[in-house]
Amino acid sequence: MSLPLSAPAEAFLAENHLCTLTTLRPDGSPHVAPVRFTWDADAGLARVMTAASRQKARNLLTRPGSRVAVCQAAGHRWITLEGTATVSTDPQRVVEGARRYAKRYWCPPPDPPGLVVIEIAVDRAMGLY
């Protein structure tokens, strides 16, 4: 099920701005990391490319199905997408994540050993855009 967003929200998500991903560490404290992400309105998925060894991925592997928040900000405008996240090593999913990343950011994502895609099933959005 995709989350319906307004046209202004979709337009803002198509822009290239600073983003953060918030996950929870095993002790429950928040971990906030700068990221690049893509938004797939049809699937209701936000995707983040990373390495399995990075803290954000390790947090999610420790707590499968955890809720996360990805936020994009530009001046006074911002949007936060929330939902449950999974880390996938499935080659097709990783390739799809990398394809969308390259389309949005006009360059391929970094290709570290252990490349994975974090898929966030977005069920809540809020912002000022």
Side-chain angles (χ1 to χ4, degrees), residues 22-32 55 59 63 67:
T22 302
T23 61
L24 296 177
R25 294 181 181 98
D27 68 3
S29 64
H31 173 260
V32 182
Q55 185 67 49
N59 290 343
R63 300 172 77 152
R67 290 193 61 80

Side-chain angles (χ1 to χ4, degrees), residues 12-61:
F12 183 58
L13 284 169
E15 297 174 16
N16 184 352
H17 297 293
L18 177 65
C19 306
T20 60
L21 175 67
T22 302
T23 61
L24 296 177
R25 294 181 181 98
D27 68 3
S29 64
H31 173 260
V32 182
V35 296
R36 288 180 160 186
F37 79 96
T38 61
W39 169 239
D40 179 348
D42 293 334
L45 287 177
R47 292 180 178 91
V48 175
M49 303 304 297
T50 192
S53 61
R54 303 298 298 171
Q55 185 67 49
K56 56 188 159 286
R58 291 194 331 258
N59 290 343
L60 294 170
L61 291 167

